[in-house]
Amino acid sequence: AKKLVKEASRKIIEEFLGNDGILAQKLSGWQFRAGQLKMAEATYRLFNDMKVGLIEAGTGLGKTYAYLVAGLQWLQEGPGRQVIISTRTRYLQDQLLMTDLPRLLG
């Protein structure tokens, strides 16, 4: 059953970040990035396996959406789950709260 949940979750993550996904439809200029999708899937697996990981990615990959989509999907799958996102700068914190999360949840 756990593998089925992961497969279903992978499809939902792909529905958001895929080439013709939800974000591609919502955001003008959206570009599909295979690395972003891989990062989201790896992040989801870390959440699901309750592990800590380090994922390094260059500028322009879309790291923020990758971990937000993975975290939101993981939260949807069970009651009482929590995700904490810690940012280095206030600017990134504001971007997450004022721009990126509303786009994903809207």
Side-chain angles (χ1 to χ4, degrees):
K2 194 172 187 180
K3 189 167 186 119
L4 292 175
V5 170
K6 287 184 181 182
E7 179 64 22
S9 298
R10 188 191 63 74
K11 288 183 184 226
I12 291 169
I13 289 169
E14 196 170 321
E15 285 177 20
F16 271 90
L17 299 176
N19 198 31
D20 297 318
I22 293 167
L23 290 177
Q25 295 170 22
K26 284 178 127 180
L27 305 176
S28 65
W30 176 264
Q31 294 180 347
F32 169 74
R33 298 169 184 99
Q36 181 184 52
L37 185 57
K38 287 173 95 173
M39 180 180 168
E41 291 170 351
T43 302
Y44 173 83
R45 281 192 303 274
L46 289 168
F47 286 135
N48 199 53
D49 296 342
M50 300 239 184
K51 293 186 177 178
V52 175
L54 176 64
I55 300 171
E56 184 176 3
T59 302
L61 180 81
K63 295 179 286 291
T64 301
Y65 283 119
Y67 61 72
L68 286 177
V69 167
L72 290 171
Q73 176 56 33
W74 187 77
L75 288 170
Q76 290 282 346
E77 294 176 3
R81 293 181 175 193
Q82 297 179 346
V83 172
I84 297 173
I85 297 170
S86 176
T87 64
R88 182 172 179 244
T89 65
R90 177 67 189 254
Y91 174 80
L92 184 53
Q93 181 181 14
D94 289 345
Q95 177 187 325
L96 290 171
L97 292 174
M98 305 300 194
T99 305
D100 297 337
L101 273 172
R103 281 182 181 157
L104 288 171
L105 299 173

